[in-house]
Structures are given as structure tokens and as C-alpha cells.
Amino acid sequence: MEKSTNRILNELLVNLFNNVMDTEAEAVITEEFKDITNNDMHIIEAIGIEDPRSMSVIAKNLKVTVGTLTTNMNSLEDKGYIIRQRSTVDKRVVLVVLTEKGRKAFFHHRDFHRHMIRAIVKDLKEDEMQVLIRCLENLNRFFDQE
């Protein structure tokens, strides 16, 4: 019996999600970064390498509370990945910046994503890439509404 398109899409999305999470954890959490989790890597990514970011901005980007984020930040700070400092403009605001160790983790994680994107689009023509982008934008909008 032939599977319906919806069922095929559902299976693909479920498998894709699980594979991305598993493969990313294996690829990103190497001997050098064995003291942090894949979730920590995503926090490091949200902090970024540009200007210091406030805890509230990072929490908003990750869709978590500042309280939840604080627990993770304590661990990352203890392990030497981040530095927290009070804003000189508003002492109530805590800014976060990556240390050299944190920057190294950031680039390591970014490289995994670059390799993944290259693998996804390697055989696609430009018009196919546009369809893929539209599909992923639709999926992203769906999750933003939930």
C-alpha cells in the first residue's frame, strides 16, 4: 500500500529532527568541548561573537526565561566559556560576552552548520533552492505560531 504524501512528510520531518539533533551532538561535542552540552552550544551561538548581548535578549532569542538561562550561564561561566558584566549605562542589565574558549566553541558549532547546509544544497538548482527556502519559511512560521 502506498503511503500518503502527508505521512511521508511527517516521517521525514520526525526523522530529520532526530537525525539533526543526534548528528549535531556527535559532531559538536568533541573531546575539546566534552564539558558542555549541545544545548550549551546553542546558547553560545545565541550569544554570538559581535557586541555583548543582554541576558534578556539572549533569553528571548532562545525562547526561554531569564531565570532558566541564568542556570546555564552559571555553568558556562564556571567552565570559562563566557563572562558576565554589568552594563555601564544601566547597572540592572547584565551583558554576556564569549571568552576565547567560547569563541572557539562558537566557530566549531558554526562549521558544523556550514557543512550541513552544503550537504543539503549540493545537488539543488537555484529554483529548487527557492522552493526549499519557501518550505522552510512556512515550517518556521508554523512553529512561531504555536
Side-chain angles (χ1 to χ4, degrees), residues 33-54:
F33 302 110
K34 66 183 177 187
D35 61 339
I36 59 175
T37 65
N38 202 27
N39 186 54
D40 291 333
M41 279 291 193
H42 290 118
I43 293 169
I44 288 170
E45 179 183 35
I47 295 167
I49 56 171
E50 289 83 31
D51 295 330
R53 293 222 170 123
S54 72

Side-chain angles (χ1 to χ4, degrees), residues 120-137:
I120 292 168
V121 301
K122 71 178 179 174
D123 296 327
L124 296 182
K125 297 176 185 133
E126 182 59 34
D127 61 326
E128 294 170 321
M129 285 182 29
Q130 294 307 314
V131 171
L132 176 61
I133 289 169
R134 245 185 6 258
C135 291
L136 293 174
E137 286 172 341

Side-chain angles (χ1 to χ4, degrees), residues 39-105:
N39 186 54
D40 291 333
M41 279 291 193
H42 290 118
I43 293 169
I44 288 170
E45 179 183 35
I47 295 167
I49 56 171
E50 289 83 31
D51 295 330
R53 293 222 170 123
S54 72
M55 290 282 287
S56 58
V57 166
I58 298 165
K60 182 179 178 189
N61 288 342
L62 293 170
K63 299 179 182 174
V64 299
T65 66
V66 173
T68 298
L69 183 61
T70 298
T71 303
N72 295 98
M73 289 297 189
N74 291 340
S75 174
L76 287 171
E77 188 171 41
D78 291 344
K79 294 172 186 172
Y81 287 91
I82 66 156
I83 296 171
R84 286 183 283 192
Q85 53 202 24
R86 293 272 174 203
S87 167
T88 55
V89 177
D90 184 345
K91 297 291 185 197
R92 297 170 297 173
V93 176
V94 176
L95 299 173
V96 181
V97 65
L98 296 177
T99 62
E100 189 55 39
K101 184 177 180 182
R103 291 174 62 82
K104 203 169 180 185

